[in-house]
């Protein structure tokens, strides 16, 4: 039985030079944020052999203080990141990039999507 994949393309017209510039800038900022997040997860996995795929913990790195239910795990992972100069730099760049994006819903969506992509990748490896 074959599975039919159907993709729809949604075309959005943006009028005005300033609006186009804002949309383009937002898309580039979101893409850069996503790439930095992927680098953080990948490099953390390479160093500690542990997937960093907890949405609460990842979002906690970007907030001022963590108040989630995974406090012990969050503290352990944060110490691991702080002990690696490479991971620490990526996390700082990720925080700076988050500040460029005004809507926190975009950030949450990207974190969820990246986690989903990594979960599917690990599932495909098995």
């Amino acid at each position: 039985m074959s599975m039919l994949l159907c993709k729809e393309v949604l075309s959005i017209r943006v009028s005005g030079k300033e609006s186009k510039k804002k949309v383009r800038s937002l898309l580039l900022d979101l893409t850069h944020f996503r790439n930095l997040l992927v680098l953080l997860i990948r490099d953390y996995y390479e160093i500690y052999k542990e997937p960093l795929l907890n949405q609460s913990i990842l979002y906690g790195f970007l907030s001022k203080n963590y108040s989630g239910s995974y406090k012990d795990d969050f503290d352990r992972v944060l110490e691991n990141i702080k002990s690696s100069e490479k991971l620490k730099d990526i996390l700082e760049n990720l925080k700076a990039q988050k500040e460029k994006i005004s809507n926190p819903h975009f950030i949450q969506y990207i974190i969820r999507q990246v986690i989903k992509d990594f979960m599917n990748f690990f599932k495909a490896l098995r």
Side-chain angles (χ1 to χ4, degrees):
M1 179 178 197
S2 68
M3 183 183 229
L4 180 62
L5 295 176
C6 180
K7 294 186 178 188
E8 292 184 33
V9 176
L10 178 61
S11 178
I12 300 173
R13 232 181 239 174
V14 179
S15 62
K17 238 180 189 178
E18 193 60 36
S19 295
K20 285 181 185 178
K21 188 176 178 180
K22 285 181 183 178
V23 169
R24 179 173 165 71
S25 176
L26 176 63
L27 289 174
L28 290 173
D29 286 342
L30 290 171
T31 301
H32 189 58
F33 179 84
R34 185 182 195 287
N35 290 340
L36 287 169
L37 186 60
V38 168
L39 285 175
L40 179 69
I41 293 170
R42 185 199 68 186
D43 290 352
Y44 188 88
Y45 184 77
E46 286 177 355
I47 294 170
Y48 296 104
K49 305 299 181 224
E50 175 186 353
L52 182 58
L53 299 176
N54 184 313
Q55 180 181 341
S56 177
I57 291 174
L58 288 172
Y59 199 74
F61 291 145
L62 303 172
S63 63
K64 302 287 183 221
N65 51 12
Y66 182 76
S67 60
S69 57
Y70 300 96
K71 183 71 172 145
D72 293 338
D73 291 336
F74 176 81
D75 291 338
R76 180 182 52 78
V77 171
L78 188 58
E79 284 303 314
N80 288 344
I81 288 174
K82 286 181 178 179
S83 68
S84 167
E85 200 62 40
K86 184 178 182 182
L87 293 175
K88 192 165 53 170
D89 288 343
I90 293 172
L91 183 59
E92 289 305 315
N93 289 331
L94 193 64
K95 287 179 181 181
Q97 191 62 32
K98 179 207 174 236
E99 296 304 318
K100 293 181 180 180
I101 301 167
S102 60
N103 191 331
H105 298 291
F106 291 150
I107 299 296
Q108 286 179 329
Y109 175 77
I110 289 174
I111 290 172
R112 272 191 233 117
Q113 191 62 47
V114 168
I115 290 171
K116 182 179 170 187
D117 291 346
F118 267 102
M119 297 292 262
N120 287 336
F121 170 74
F122 288 127
K123 187 176 178 182
L125 285 179
R126 281 188 254 134

